[in-house]
Structure formats: structure tokens, C-alpha cells
Amino acid sequence: MKIKSILVKSIAVAAMSVTGLVVANNAGLQTAQAATVQNDAHVVTVNYVSDNSITVYNNYENPVATGQTLASNTSWKVIKTAYDSKGHKWYDLGKNQWIRAEYVTAGYVAANNATAKSTTTVSQAPAAQTQSQAATTSAKSYTSNATGSEASAKAWIASRESGGSYSASNGQYVGKYQLPSSYLNGDYSAANQERVADQYVQSRYGSWTAAKSFWQANGWY
């Protein structure tokens, strides 16, 4: 998973754009310009809110609700950070799915209670596990249900990401599918790598074949 590619691209965009709020003096009034800035969060977690979810919008400059919602205490990967003309910070969760930063906390925050699954198509980061849960996962075997073209696409991505090695590492990216170490919660077993990779791809792309197509077009997944 080349989140690092996303960050490099985000930094490149930031270098060509305004690195903060652009302020213009107009008849004694200051007007903030909308701007994409250097990404400041890799993963965010939705705070508890009264209706137990927050709204996803199609952009940050003239936001229109997409009909998608994110449940409280769920964690999501961030692609871009931006400020609108009113100075509000926004996060893009990929494919122009924007949320207001004021409703989320940077990083993973373990949920105290079970949360309902969101029906959105944005990429959900695997929920944090306790140490005992991670140990249980390591002890158990996991069998992926990917077969046929799905299994082929999964193997293709693993080959491009790590050469198929569970022990491969590149900074914060670990294992056969180059998952962020935080996704694995300290459990680097083959079973957990397979389980989390399947969960990540299902939540973000819906299938390994779709993830492969995205990888071929973008050089990461």
C-alpha cells in the first residue's frame, strides 16, 4: 500500500499551492482563500457526535453532501488536507470524499463501545485491537476467501509491493502487502497480514481485482 506515494504527491501539490491561508486586504477586510496544504494526518478517527455519525461532502470549497456518513469511533486513511475560504480545515479520504477536521481526531482512538458500520465507500482503516486481541489473532490461522481472479490479483499486488515477503519493511510499511504498521497493531503474523489486507481492500475497493486496476493506474493501492 503506497500511502507514502500519496504523501509525496500531497507534498508536491503543497509546494505548488499555498502552504497556508492566503489573506488579501480588501477595503480593510481580510478574505481567506481556499487552499490545499501539506497533509498533516495519516489516519483520523471520528469523534463521538450526537447523531453518531458525520457527513461526507464532495469537495471542500463548495461542499455538497454525498449521502455518505461515517460512524463515530471509526478510523479512516487521509489523502489530502485543505482549508476552505472560511478557514475551516478539511480532510479528503480519497476520490473527493471530504470531511470537516473539527469532527475527527488525528490518529487511532480505540472505541469504548461497538460502533455501527458505515455504508460509505471510503477507505476505512482497520479498528485498533487490544494486545490480548492481537495475541489471539496471531494464535489463530486465517484463510483468505480470495480465489480465481481475486487470488491472482492479490498475489500480483503482493509481488509488486514486497516480492511476496511477509518480513519486508520500508519505514512504517510492513510485510507482504506493505501495510502501515499501525494497521497491524503490533501483530505482524502472516495470518494477521492476510486478514488486515483483505479487510483494507474490501473496504476501499470492494475487490482485489479493483485494487489491482487502481494500482496499475496509480502505482499504489
Side-chain angles (χ1 to χ4, degrees):
M1 175 193 313
K2 301 298 184 185
I3 301 179
K4 49 186 171 290
S5 298
I6 302 172
L7 297 179
V8 170
K9 293 176 181 177
S10 297
I11 293 171
V13 171
M16 294 185 290
S17 63
V18 182
T19 57
L21 293 181
V22 178
V23 180
N25 193 329
N26 181 13
L29 298 177
Q30 290 187 325
T31 302
Q33 305 285 320
T36 300
V37 300
Q38 183 171 330
N39 199 22
D40 66 348
H42 303 300
V43 173
V44 294
T45 299
V46 180
N47 297 330
Y48 175 79
V49 286
S50 59
D51 61 357
N52 206 39
S53 65
I54 63 173
T55 301
V56 178
Y57 296 89
N58 63 352
N59 67 75
Y60 69 94
E61 294 179 280
N62 297 293
V64 175
T66 64
Q68 300 168 313
T69 59
L70 307 185
S72 295
N73 295 318
T74 54
S75 297
W76 306 86
K77 185 174 69 175
V78 175
I79 306 301
K80 296 177 184 177
T81 301
Y83 286 88
D84 62 24
S85 59
K86 295 181 180 179
H88 298 134
K89 182 191 287 187
W90 294 76
Y91 289 123
D92 180 12
L93 306 182
K95 301 181 181 178
N96 288 318
Q97 297 175 105
W98 294 88
I99 57 173
R100 285 277 294 273
E102 65 185 278
Y103 299 124
V104 298
T105 301
Y108 290 98
V109 177
N112 293 321
N113 301 300
T115 56
K117 290 184 178 180
S118 170
T119 57
T120 64
T121 59
V122 294
S123 56
Q124 182 171 9
Q129 294 177 307
T130 64
Q131 290 183 346
S132 61
Q133 287 174 321
T136 300
T137 301
S138 291
K140 293 181 178 180
S141 61
Y142 172 82
T143 302
S144 175
N145 60 7
T147 59
S149 60
E150 282 292 283
S152 177
K154 184 176 182 179
W156 185 94
I157 287 179
S159 176
R160 298 305 187 280
E161 292 289 323
S162 68
S165 172
Y166 288 112
S167 60
S169 64
N170 183 7
Q172 66 169 315
Y173 304 98
V174 176
K176 187 174 181 179
Y177 304 98
Q178 289 294 280
L179 300 163
S181 58
S182 57
Y183 279 31
L184 297 167
N185 293 295
D187 181 357
Y188 302 139
S189 65
N192 197 46
Q193 288 186 39
E194 294 290 338
R195 180 187 66 80
V196 175
D198 281 344
Q199 180 180 352
Y200 167 76
V201 165
Q202 179 61 39
S203 64
R204 179 170 175 81
Y205 301 103
S207 69
W208 280 98
T209 52
K212 177 182 176 181
S213 295
F214 185 91
W215 200 107
Q216 290 173 319
N218 298 277
W220 56 271
Y221 78 111

